[in-house]
Each structure stands twice: as structure tokens, then as C-alpha cells.
Amino acid sequence: MENGKGNVGRGSAVIYTTISLLAALAFWATAATLGGFPPVAVYGGAAWVFLLTLIVSMPLVIAAVKRRNNV
Amino acid sequence: MTTKSITLPVGGMTCASCVGHVEKALRELLGVRQVSVNLAAGKAAVEYEPEHVGLAQMERAVADLGYEVGHEQVTLVVRGMTCASCVAHVEKALLGLEGVTKATVNLATNSARVEYLPGTVGVSAMKRALHDIGYEAEERADGQTALDREREARQQEFRRQRRNMLIVWPLSLLIMAGTFRDMSILANFVPEFLGNKLVLGLLTTPIVFGPGRQFFVNSLRGLVRGVTDMNLLYATGIGAAYFIAVLNTLWPQAGFGGPRATFFESAALLTSFIILGRYLEALTRGRTSEAIRKLMSLQPKTALVLRNGAEIEIAADEVGTGELVLVRPGERVPVDGVVSEGYSAVDESMITGESLPVEKKTGDTVTGGTMNKTGAFRFQATKVGKDTALAQIIKLVEDAQGSKAPIQKLADWVAGHFILGVHLLAVAVFVFWFFVGYQRFFTPESYFLLTPGTLGEIGVFGFSLLLSVTVLIVSCPCAVGLATPAAMMAGTGKAAEHGILFKGADAVESAAKLQAIVFDKTGTLTRGQPSLTDVVATGEALEEEVLRLAAVAEKNSEHPLGEAIVRGATERGLVVVDADRFQSIPGHGVEARVKDKDVLLGNRKLMRERGVDFTALLGQAEAWEEAGKTVMFVAVAGSPAGLIAVADTIKENSRQAVAQLRRLGLEVLMITGDNQRTALAIAKQAGIERVLAEVLPEDKASEVKKLQARGLRVAMVGDGINDAPALAQANVGIAIGSGTDVAKETGHVILMKEDLRDVVAAIEVAKATMRKVKQNLFWAFIYNTLGIPIGAGLLYPFFGWVVSPELAGAMMAVSSLTVTLNTQLMRRFVPRLYRGGGDGSAQPRTSSPALAPGRVIAGGSE
């Protein structure tokens, strides 16, 4: 049971971190493409998008992984 | 499959989404049938199948989310232990009780420290378990009651939030003075160093990482378990505001407004306003359970009993049934019982709402928790512990306050699903203003609403981030979770003060929407104590003989009409012997064999069915019926013998109550098994125009159903035991005159007194409560509804308005304050018919039959 919970935790972490990184990357790429933004704005914005996406995706991913593993 | 119910105290919940998470976690356990969590009370009411799920599993499910199930502790002094194996026996016996989570026995001090889930097991059960294995136990003096623990927990929370307030607000005021020093006359009073960003940072940091730390810790704990709540909104907002402030201080060129801008006041004030909101919520929760606290405080801790000829004082929960209890003037009655000796007047107002002291003499019942006024008396205990009326009432009010109205379920669902939506909105706002809005609409002259100074040199990242943070804070539905339960608790508590007990929050909601109300006649609209008025004989029979035979036939009947005949015959000096044979025919009458005569007594229907012709007496019968009397036909040996008339009078306040119900817009009806003529006469006295007469007892529920089929929401007012099916069928079943035996009453609302004005009061309290719920939800949501578009910058392109994060925090605190203050206004509510005083009489009245043990089971024509 404890192994199961550990797997859920690790598996979920990989998924939601990846999702958040992809969102941040998309933001960064858009800002870089459009141009004209100071570096602090681009990297700061990407960090903020990463954080908010992490917050949104964490509970959703954890719940989905739990359901799939029936833990 | 057996089910059990338990109410678990759950600590750590702060918002409606916490409620949703706890409910979901418990509901997912196999064997849990129903869960209802009340944020304001901090309790989870669970219905479960003990074969499939235990208390330990429920506790674990709640703990896994980061909340805690409250435990109570008691220390017992255990006598009789001599060695380590005694210790093991005692621990095993205690741990074998359901609800006991820990038991630590100390042989050296002869004590057992027990931790248990409140509501599952009591100290008396522990003592009994130890007694069964040969040990005696007493609660040690420093043990606390449930009331003490509950009060302590609330006070602890209140003290914690007040301490936070005392830390954050003085610092925040200093920070504000320093921030706005240059913009007003403050420059004359505020030292220059206070405006220095480093100093502001030093003042802000203890706010964010001191009292503000709770939001970061709680949200992280929730997040790793996949739970999002309002702590997350606060943590994200406060963290971002603080981060911007620090970044701008260390790196003024970062685009957050330049060297002259500071954002420390945002982080500080945001934290301060959120803590103000938490403080107000702790205040509200503390006050709204006042009704329960008042009731619990009525329970005396000790009782004076007579054992082995001596008077000894013992703990009230140790009184056994059948014991003789002594009560002196000025003392509270400890348990329920029947007076065996003595005479006094007892104030029952705290329990039944009855304003006049009630005389108590031998044979009268007394209720635990009532106050003995003048004399001393002894009584035999009949109900103790959780069986007492007071314990039943407390449980009923507690259960009602722990239940959820349909409107609240909707509010909790919205709030619970809101958090993720808010974060998505914050992302969208940030991305929009970053890539589109700033370039198109930003002007350096724009400013934060209600904040001096312009936005000036703020860059695209700073501007977009600030709006995103503001959206997070202003969207928070902080007060939503509290809006409905706070109002419900205030409303049900107010009702309980008048002896009106709502069995659930849904009963309150249903009672507020009623369109029609049906009154049972005998015992509800009328006093239920008819008396003999007329006798007439026919043919060769004498009136005394007709009355005597009728009385003998009715001697074994428990029907009020039958009792009136027997009483009338006895008063006239007639000897009423037992019948040789007796049979009750429900809805018709009775049949008996008296000596060698067959006697039939009942209504027209019975006579018609048995072929007895009463044509000659019909005129007399109709004349009596038109006067409001109930006429019974007496037949002997198959021939008409005479008529007997019995009259019941309507209750004192019936007409007044009916008139007020009409004014409230309800259609008022009367239902009775009596004939149409009598029914109409009684209805006319009460001011009721619509009558359903000659309805058999088993058909009353169908009549209620017919009204409901017309689309009406119907209340039925009647005897909680005899009218049970009709009360259960109605949208709101109101059991009147239950006295203190509330547990066995069917119905959604229980009225402890016989007074019909309580029916009106119940509906008025329900309407006032629902009005309060809607007002609270309005105030809880209005700030969000207005704040979100403005916070997201919707009005910025037109007016240049943006809302600062601290103003958003202030708006949230104001929404909590508004809900708190609005709920407190319910304390002033008085039902219309009780305004200006009660009955007026100063004389004690004799014990009401409503409080007497046992009930008359109606039969015959009712």
C-alpha cells in the first residue's frame, strides 16, 4: 500500500511538472518570438506561468493517477 | 444491514472547498452511506455501516487530507488494580469500546488516561466496562466536559487569530505610514527612515513569515495530497506580492515601478486583511453555536440521591433509573423522572420555552435541566444519560445544525470547484495583459483605486503580475463557506429558544416555502379533552341507562371521546363496570357485550353498515353537530337507544394563529375524522374555511398527497405519533405538543408546547433564516462578482482603474465582516405573535398533559 502511494506521488510529480514546464516553455517561446520584452519580464513571466500551471495541474493529475491505480 | 451515525469534530477546515474535500474523502470509504460537513460547527455527520468501515478508517481518511479529528480526553481513577496484568486487563477493556483510540493505564497512580472520539462513547460506558471486569472507576476532578473542550477549542482558535491580528496590524500601520509618508501631511510626523525600502522590508517580513506562514504551510500540505483550498489563493497572492516587493527593492530596474515604487505595503496589508477575515470567521463560529452551549450548560453536573437511607451527592451521569433523587429550591433537576414526594413550581422555560412556572406534585413528570423554584421534592429517575429529554433535544439541535440545506450544497459545490478556475483565470489575465493589454492600454498616469500615487514606471511584467495576483485574491469566495451554515445555526438556535426544534436544515428550507397548511382537529386545533354535554334516549330507554351502557362500552377505549363519556357517567354517579367483550372499530366506533346486551356506539357510518335506523333522531343529531358537538349514536340489541353529545373546545390561540398564517399567504385547512357538520362548526370557530371531514385515520396521508398533487407545498400539523404517516407524507410535518419526549416524534419540526402560535413562529423563523441565508450569500458573492472584472482590468481601458492586491484583500475581509454582522442580526428576531410579551398571567399553571408520560392512541372516529 505504501509502495502504491509512493508510485502515485512520483508518477504524478513527473506528469504535472512536465505539464507546467511545457506551459512555461510555450510562454517563453511566444515572448521570444514576438520580441521587445526585457529578459526579466520573459523569464519572470515564464516562472509565474510555471507556478500557476503547477497549482492547477497538481490536484487534477494526482486525482487522475490515483483513479488509474485504484489507490 | 445496520447503520450507525456519528458526528466527528474536524479541525483545520477554513473554507467551503475544505468541506468538499472532507466529504469526498469520507464518502469514498466503503460502507459510508452519507456525509454532511458543517464548516461553521466544525463537524462531520456520518452515516455508515459498521460491518464495512470503522472509526479508525474515517479518522485516517480525514488526517490524510491534513485535517484532524478532535479527540477528547478523560482521566479515570481506577480502584482495584494490583499488578501489571490488571493494567493489561483495564487497557484491553477500554480499548475494546468503540470510539476509544488510546488508553494509558498507570498502576502507580491508579489512573487511566483515555482518549476517545466524542459522541461515540461516554465516561459512564467506560466505567461500566471496567465495573464488568471487577474494577471501579471515577472520573478525576480535572476531567473536562464536552462543553468545556468545545469551548476551549474555539477559544484557542480565536486567541490564535487575535494574536495574529495584534502582530500584523501595528506593523501594517507603520508600513502604511512609511509608504505614504511623502504623499501627505504624514511627512510632518513620520520619520524619514520609515520610508526606506529596506526598513519597510524588515517590517513586512515578520508579517509574511509569522502570521502569514499558516497559509503557505496549509496550502503546501494540501497540494501534495492533491487538495486545493483558499489557503492556496492566499499563499500565491501574498508570496507574489512579497516577491515583487523584494525584487523591486534589490533590482529597481526590473520593471516594477522603479526606485520610487514599493510593494511591501501590498504584501503586508494583504496578509493583514486576510487574517482579519480569519479572525471574523473564528468569531462567527464561536457565537453561532450559542444555542447548543446554552442547552448544554443546563445539564447539572451533580445530583443528590438517596442511597441506603442516606443523602449523597454524586455525578449526575451516575444516577441510575429507579433511583430516588432529591431536589432543593434553587437547584436544577438533574435527570428526568416522576415526583414521588413533595410539591414545587418548576421553571421549564429554558427547555420547552414555556414562560410560566409549572406546578409539580406527586405523579407529575419532571425534566432534567429545569430549575426548581420554591419547594423541595423527591422524584424517581425514569430517564438518565443520553435518554433524558435535554440530551435528546441537544442531539436534535446538534444534528439539525450539522445538516445541510440544499442551497448550501450548491454554494459548497461552487466554492469547492472555484479554486482551480480562479488559478486558470489568473493565468489568462496574466497572459493577456503581458502580450496584448499592456502595449495597447497602459498609461503611466493610471493608478490603483483608493491608493494615492500613479503606477508610473511599472513594466509589462510588473503590471501583468499585479493584476494576476489581484484576480487571485479578489476571486476568493472566503465568506461563501460560512454564509449558509452560520445563518442556519443562528436560525435553528433562535427556534430552539421558543421550544421549536427543526430536525434538519432542509426542514428549515422547506418550511420557508410552504403554500398550504393542514391542521388535524382533535388535540391540535382543539384541546383534545372533550366533555360530555348531552344525552337523549329514545323509546323506552332511560337517559341514565343509555349513558351507563355507552360508558361501559367505552371503558376500555383510549379514545378521547370514549374517555369523555366515561368521565361524564362517573361524574353523574353511574357505576361503570367492565364489559364482557369489547372491540374497537377504527373510524367507526366500538362494539361491546354488556351482561346480555349487545351495545353499539359510534358514528352514522357504523349504524348504516349495521342496519340500525336512526331517522327519528337525525334532526337532534344535526342540531348538536351544527353547534360544534360530536354526536355518537347508541344502539342496543340492534335497535336505536339514544344519542350522546360530546364537545371539545378549540385552543385559546387557534384563531389568532390561523389568521396570522393567512396573512403569511398560506392556505389553511382542517382535517378530521369527524362528520362534516361538526367539523365545519369547529373550523368556523378557528377561522378556517376549508375542511376535509370524515377522513379515516389511514387516509389522512392520502389527503395530504392529493394537495401535493395540485402542486402545493404542504405542511401537516398534528400529533407526532398518531398522525405519523400524514406528517411523513407532508413537505413539512409539524408535531405539536410533544412535550419533552422528542425522540419518538415523527415530523420534520417538533413543537414542544401545545400553543398553535408556535406553528406560526416556526414558519416565521424559517422564512427569516432563509432570508438571512440569501442575504449572506449575496454579500459573500457580490464582492467577487464586482471585484473579478475590475481586478482583471476590465475597466482599465475605459477609466484607467485597477484594484491593488491589498484593496482586494480588504474587500474579502469586508465580505466576511458583512456575513458575520448580518448573521448576528438574527439574535434580535422575535416571532410576530410573541412580540410584546407572552401569556401575561403570573400564576403558575398545573402540569400540562403534553408533558405527561404516555399518549392517548386515538381510535374510533378519529
Side-chain angles (χ1 to χ4, degrees):
Chain A
M1 183 64 133
E2 290 303 322
N3 277 340
K5 278 191 179 171
N7 288 340
V8 167
R10 273 193 297 276
S12 310
V14 168
I15 296 171
Y16 56 65
T17 308
T18 306
I19 292 171
S20 307
L21 280 171
L22 285 173
L25 196 63
F27 177 88
W28 177 87
T30 308
T33 306
L34 290 174
F37 297 105
V40 71
V42 175
Y43 290 104
W48 184 240
V49 169
F50 173 84
L51 180 64
L52 289 183
T53 311
L54 192 72
I55 290 170
V56 170
S57 59
M58 254 177 110
L60 295 173
V61 168
I62 290 173
V65 171
K66 261 188 194 169
R67 267 195 308 272
R68 192 184 296 175
N69 289 6
N70 287 324
V71 172
Chain B
M1 190 120 3
T2 51
T3 57
K4 273 184 167 181
S5 293
I6 186 177
T7 304
L8 297 169
V10 178
M13 294 190 295
T14 53
C15 61
S17 66
C18 300
V19 166
H21 295 310
V22 171
E23 283 183 350
K24 187 167 176 265
L26 287 170
R27 222 177 267 126
E28 279 172 357
L29 294 173
L30 175 69
V32 169
R33 287 249 194 110
Q34 219 172 338
V35 183
S36 175
V37 176
N38 185 311
L39 174 65
K43 293 191 168 140
V46 185
E47 198 185 309
Y48 65 102
E49 294 161 9
E51 297 90 48
H52 292 118
V53 66
L55 298 174
Q57 282 167 276
M58 287 187 234
E59 199 181 339
R60 212 164 30 244
V62 170
D64 279 349
L65 293 174
Y67 305 105
E68 49 191 60
V69 174
H71 287 77
E72 296 207 3
Q73 272 183 12
V74 68
T75 302
L76 302 171
V77 173
V78 183
R79 287 189 297 277
M81 292 193 295
T82 54
C83 63
S85 78
C86 295
V87 168
H89 289 320
V90 168
E91 278 182 357
K92 192 175 172 203
L94 290 169
L95 287 168
L97 294 170
E98 198 193 20
V100 171
T101 52
K102 200 172 166 188
T104 311
V105 179
N106 189 321
L107 182 61
T109 56
N110 283 326
S111 65
R113 191 157 183 80
V114 186
E115 256 184 49
Y116 61 99
L117 291 171
T120 55
V121 64
V123 172
S124 37
M126 292 177 210
K127 289 180 192 173
R128 236 181 346 264
L130 294 182
H131 176 80
D132 287 347
I133 58 167
Y135 302 96
E136 294 307 317
E138 270 168 24
E139 189 177 339
R140 201 154 73 180
D142 61 355
Q144 287 180 295
T145 61
L147 171 65
D148 294 334
R149 289 222 173 265
E150 196 231 344
R151 188 192 289 145
E152 196 187 312
R154 289 195 192 284
Q155 282 179 350
Q156 217 167 31
E157 172 65 15
F158 180 74
R159 275 196 299 267
R160 193 167 78 97
Q161 298 303 341
R162 192 176 54 187
R163 192 177 55 239
N164 288 339
M165 288 273 291
L166 290 173
I167 295 170
V168 301
W169 277 103
L171 288 173
S172 291
L173 290 172
L174 281 174
I175 292 164
M176 271 175 64
T179 305
F180 301 123
R181 181 184 176 273
D182 294 335
M183 299 172 191
S184 63
I185 57 166
L186 286 173
N188 298 328
F189 310 104
V190 179
E192 198 178 330
F193 75 88
L194 211 54
N196 183 287
K197 280 198 214 175
L198 286 173
V199 172
L200 291 173
L202 281 172
L203 291 172
T204 305
T205 304
I207 294 177
V208 171
F209 294 103
R213 189 171 164 270
Q214 58 180 300
F215 307 121
F216 297 101
V217 168
N218 292 340
S219 55
L220 196 63
R221 194 191 297 159
L223 257 186
V224 297
R225 288 175 177 81
V227 164
T228 56
D229 59 17
M230 290 174 201
N231 287 303
L232 192 54
L233 293 179
Y234 302 148
T236 324
I238 294 169
Y242 184 73
F243 174 74
I244 293 170
V246 169
L247 200 63
N248 191 51
T249 303
L250 299 174
W251 191 5
Q253 292 77 32
F256 287 102
R260 288 178 58 80
T262 170
F263 292 98
F264 283 113
E265 82 284 1
S266 282
L269 286 172
L270 181 55
T271 312
S272 303
F273 280 122
I274 293 168
I275 284 173
L276 174 62
R278 284 287 164 92
Y279 171 78
L280 293 170
E281 282 166 28
L283 198 67
T284 305
R285 274 191 227 133
R287 286 200 180 151
T288 47
S289 66
E290 219 169 291
I292 299 280
R293 262 212 296 282
K294 260 192 204 165
L295 284 170
M296 285 174 112
S297 69
L298 297 178
Q299 283 173 326
K301 292 193 170 55
T302 58
L304 194 63
V305 296
L306 199 63
R307 281 184 183 171
N308 303 321
E311 291 178 7
I312 56 167
E313 195 167 38
I314 60 171
D317 66 353
E318 287 184 6
V319 177
T321 46
E323 271 207 277
L324 213 54
V325 184
L326 292 74
V327 185
R328 292 182 287 226
E331 288 178 349
R332 281 204 186 273
V333 177
V335 295
D336 297 356
V338 176
V339 177
S340 56
E341 194 183 320
Y343 175 86
S344 185
V346 172
D347 179 0
E348 297 183 330
S349 59
M350 289 299 282
I351 298 196
T352 67
E354 178 61 65
S355 53
L356 301 175
V358 181
E359 281 178 6
K360 298 291 179 187
K361 55 188 185 304
T362 305
D364 288 337
T365 54
V366 287
T367 308
T370 53
M371 174 65 83
N372 182 27
K373 304 293 277 184
T374 54
F377 60 91
R378 294 178 181 190
F379 70 93
Q380 195 168 41
T382 51
K383 285 185 188 158
V384 301
K386 63 175 170 52
D387 296 326
T388 61
L390 182 57
Q392 289 174 28
I393 293 166
I394 288 170
K395 182 154 192 330
L396 213 136
V397 176
E398 236 175 6
D399 287 348
Q401 294 191 342
S403 67
K404 222 178 264 210
I407 194 170
Q408 186 185 337
K409 286 177 194 160
L410 179 64
D412 283 349
W413 186 92
V414 167
H417 286 77
F418 210 50
I419 308 296
L420 287 181
V422 166
H423 280 86
L424 277 172
L425 180 66
V427 174
V429 164
F430 177 76
V431 167
F432 170 78
W433 285 101
F434 190 95
F435 289 117
V436 177
Y438 183 82
Q439 282 77 23
R440 201 175 282 192
F441 302 116
F442 178 74
T443 60
E445 294 78 33
S446 53
Y447 54 90
F448 286 123
L449 268 177
L450 301 180
T451 308
T454 61
L455 287 169
E457 299 167 36
I458 195 166
V460 61
F461 177 45
F463 184 76
S464 309
L465 185 60
L466 278 172
L467 261 65
S468 183
V469 166
T470 301
V471 160
L472 283 176
I473 303 302
V474 86
S475 309
C476 177
C478 319
V480 169
L482 210 57
T484 306
M488 279 293 173
M489 285 174 78
T492 50
K494 175 62 57 179
E497 283 175 23
H498 293 279
I500 300 166
L501 306 176
F502 284 93
K503 274 194 179 174
D506 49 348
V508 176
E509 200 168 331
S510 299
K513 296 180 191 167
L514 289 172
Q515 293 161 308
I517 186 160
V518 181
F519 284 92
D520 185 48
K521 181 177 82 72
T522 304
T524 301
L525 276 174
T526 67
R527 293 187 191 277
Q529 281 188 317
S531 53
L532 180 72
T533 55
D534 304 272
V535 182
V536 75
T538 186
E540 293 170 358
L542 295 172
E543 285 178 3
E544 282 81 11
E545 184 60 12
V546 167
L547 180 58
R548 189 188 70 84
L549 287 171
V552 170
E554 287 281 11
K555 193 177 180 189
N556 291 319
S557 163
E558 291 179 327
H559 196 286
L561 299 177
E563 288 180 352
I565 294 173
V566 172
R567 221 171 18 247
T570 313
E571 279 165 11
R572 286 169 202 215
L574 300 175
V575 176
V576 181
V577 298
D578 286 325
D580 300 322
R581 204 183 64 230
F582 166 83
Q583 189 189 348
S584 168
I585 309 164
H588 294 72
V590 299
E591 186 176 20
R593 184 142 181 100
V594 182
K595 290 283 166 52
D596 54 350
K597 294 177 186 165
D598 286 323
V599 178
L600 209 56
L601 174 71
N603 53 24
R604 281 179 185 72
K605 231 183 287 181
L606 180 64
M607 300 304 149
R608 254 195 316 269
E609 283 170 16
R610 297 298 179 96
V612 182
D613 183 10
F614 267 89
T615 314
L617 290 171
L618 278 180
Q620 178 63 76
E622 283 166 17
W624 284 344
E625 283 166 352
E626 270 158 20
K629 297 176 186 177
T630 301
V631 176
M632 278 165 282
F633 298 78
V634 186
V636 177
S639 301
L643 299 176
I644 294 178
V646 160
D648 194 1
T649 49
I650 67 164
K651 285 180 184 166
E652 203 178 313
N653 299 308
S654 295
R655 202 173 174 81
Q656 190 186 15
V658 168
Q660 184 60 17
L661 286 168
R662 279 248 179 69
R663 258 180 246 124
L664 288 174
L666 274 81
E667 193 180 332
V668 185
L669 302 92
M670 188 183 84
I671 194 166
T672 177
D674 226 335
N675 69 83
Q676 185 81 6
R677 230 172 261 105
T678 307
L680 280 171
I682 295 289
K684 195 175 169 190
Q685 290 175 40
I688 297 174
E689 288 167 6
R690 285 206 53 199
V691 175
L692 303 164
E694 296 177 30
V695 177
L696 293 173
E698 59 268 25
D699 291 335
K700 282 182 183 172
S702 318
E703 291 297 329
V704 170
K705 210 169 171 181
K706 278 184 203 165
L707 289 168
Q708 289 171 322
R710 283 173 42 199
L712 294 172
R713 281 186 289 274
V714 182
M716 169 76 192
V717 185
D719 180 318
I721 295 163
N722 301 322
D723 297 323
L727 293 188
Q729 176 64 44
N731 297 94
V732 180
I734 303 176
I736 189 167
S738 74
T740 51
D741 207 353
V742 300
K744 54 179 182 172
E745 296 289 350
T746 313
H748 310 93
V749 183
I750 295 172
L751 307 182
M752 298 175 71
K753 305 197 298 290
E754 297 269 7
D755 196 334
L756 280 174
R757 289 178 297 175
D758 285 348
V759 175
V760 183
I763 294 172
E764 285 181 342
V765 168
K767 284 181 184 284
T769 304
M770 289 313 297
R771 262 196 312 273
K772 199 56 62 184
V773 165
K774 285 171 189 160
Q775 287 166 8
N776 281 356
L777 285 173
F778 170 78
W779 288 116
F781 274 120
I782 192 67
Y783 293 100
N784 300 123
T785 310
L786 292 177
I788 290 174
I790 300 176
L794 200 69
L795 298 182
Y796 182 76
F798 311 103
F799 302 106
W801 292 348
V802 282
V803 173
S804 64
E806 61 267 33
L807 182 60
M811 287 162 70
M812 291 305 102
V814 171
S815 77
S816 294
L817 177 66
T818 314
V819 165
T820 303
L821 290 177
N822 194 41
T823 304
Q824 294 308 313
L825 291 176
M826 273 254 14
R827 296 168 114 195
R828 299 191 314 194
F829 178 80
V830 178
R832 188 180 297 267
L833 294 179
Y834 290 128
R835 288 171 199 170
D839 302 330
S841 167
Q843 297 300 318
R845 61 166 186 75
T846 50
S847 187
S848 161
L851 298 179
R855 303 287 305 200
V856 171
I857 309 297
S861 63
E862 285 288 1

